[in-house]
């Protein structure tokens, strides 16, 4: 059986999103995400960071943002930057997205093909929106999808739970950080 190349994709762990959350919840999310980042790097597997960034006039933002004048993740601001506690390296691929899906009008699909990836491990926020859209779009492109249980979160717990129930066992598998790290070892294939 051929080895599946895995890729860690971290979505929207931005200050504008996380500043509104309980600090303990943010700390756990960041620490667990960093555990996966370290494990992927040790295994010489790709790590891709996805983040939103919109123009100050919102001309490139999605309809709800424009209609309601919701100014979040504005390019050049602290809010559009990755949380400072994350183990981001300049050598890591970083993609800017303008919609919920990390695939929509970005170079993500081409980058994954270049790396020869067959499975995505998703981390980030929000489970019911950007994580769900990325998972569905990855599945529709025939990628296996794993949702890192301790590394995804949402400000809307009810919709996050419904989304996980919908995705788990169908288009994605929810797995713990230890299980994901175990699967990275040569014996875990």
């Amino acid at each position: 059986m051929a080895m599946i190349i895995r890729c860690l994709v971290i979505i929207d762990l931005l200050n504008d999103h996380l500043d509104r959350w309980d600090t303990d919840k943010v700390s756990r999310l960041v620490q667990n995400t960093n555990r996966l980042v370290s494990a992927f790097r040790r295994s010489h597997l790709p790590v891709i960071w996805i983040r939103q960034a919109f123009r100050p006039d919102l001309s490139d933002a999605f309809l709800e943002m424009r209609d309601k004048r919701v100014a979040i993740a504005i390019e050049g601001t602290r809010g559009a930057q990755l949380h400072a506690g994350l183990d981001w390296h300049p050598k890591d691929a970083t993609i800017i997205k303008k919609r919920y899906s990390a695939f929509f009008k970005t170079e993500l699909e081409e980058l994954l093909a270049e790396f020869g990836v067959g499975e995505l491990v998703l981390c980030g926020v929000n489970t019911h929106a950007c994580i769900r859209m990325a998972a569905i779009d990855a599945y529709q492109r025939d990628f296996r999808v794993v949702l890192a249980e301790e590394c995804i979160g949402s400000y809307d717990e009810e919709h996050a739970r419904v989304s996980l129930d919908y995705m788990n066992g169908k288009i994605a598998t929810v797995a713990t950080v230890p299980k994901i790290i175990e699967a990275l070892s040569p014996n875990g294939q």
Side-chain angles (χ1 to χ4, degrees):
M1 189 167 118
M3 186 173 109
I4 295 174
I5 296 176
R6 295 175 173 94
C7 178
L8 184 63
V9 179
I10 303 152
I11 300 171
D12 287 344
L13 290 180
L14 308 178
N15 292 318
D16 269 353
H17 297 307
L18 300 180
D19 283 351
R20 300 174 179 157
W21 290 22
D22 173 76
T23 54
D24 288 340
K25 185 177 177 180
V26 172
S27 179
R28 285 190 302 274
L29 185 67
V30 168
Q31 287 173 6
N32 283 310
T33 300
N34 284 342
R35 282 179 63 200
L36 283 183
V37 169
S38 294
F40 272 72
R41 286 191 182 128
R42 276 193 310 274
S43 297
H44 306 287
L45 293 170
V47 175
I48 300 174
W49 301 82
I50 311 285
R51 64 181 184 85
Q52 291 176 320
F54 302 103
R55 293 184 190 123
D57 68 0
L58 302 179
S59 61
D60 60 346
F62 49 89
L63 288 174
E64 181 186 15
M65 289 180 69
R66 284 184 273 158
D67 291 348
K68 296 179 179 177
R69 303 299 304 155
V70 176
I72 58 167
I74 302 303
E75 60 191 19
T77 68
R78 177 189 167 279
Q81 298 304 312
L82 294 168
H83 186 280
L86 291 164
D87 188 15
W88 176 84
H89 286 178
K91 68 179 177 167
D92 295 333
T94 303
I95 294 173
I96 304 297
K97 70 180 178 73
K98 305 293 181 175
R99 297 296 183 267
Y100 284 172
S101 176
F103 287 92
F104 185 78
K105 294 185 179 181
T106 71
E107 64 273 20
L108 180 57
E109 190 168 2
E110 292 79 11
L111 192 56
L112 295 171
E114 182 181 314
F115 291 145
V117 170
E119 179 178 283
L120 304 184
V121 175
L122 301 183
C123 299
V125 299
N126 281 297
T127 304
H128 67 282
C130 298
I131 298 298
R132 180 174 169 152
M133 288 299 299
I136 291 169
D137 283 355
Y139 178 76
Q140 289 181 335
R141 289 165 171 81
D142 295 326
F143 291 104
R144 297 199 180 277
V145 180
V146 175
L147 302 173
E149 187 172 22
E150 306 92 331
C151 302
I152 56 175
S154 179
Y155 67 86
D156 186 327
E157 294 301 326
E158 180 182 353
H159 283 104
R161 182 188 51 76
V162 169
S163 292
L164 283 178
D165 288 348
Y166 165 72
M167 291 185 283
N168 192 24
K170 297 171 188 72
I171 64 164
T173 301
V174 177
T176 64
V177 168
K179 287 285 184 196
I180 294 167
I181 291 172
E182 180 184 318
L184 297 178
S185 71
N187 298 333
Q189 294 291 332

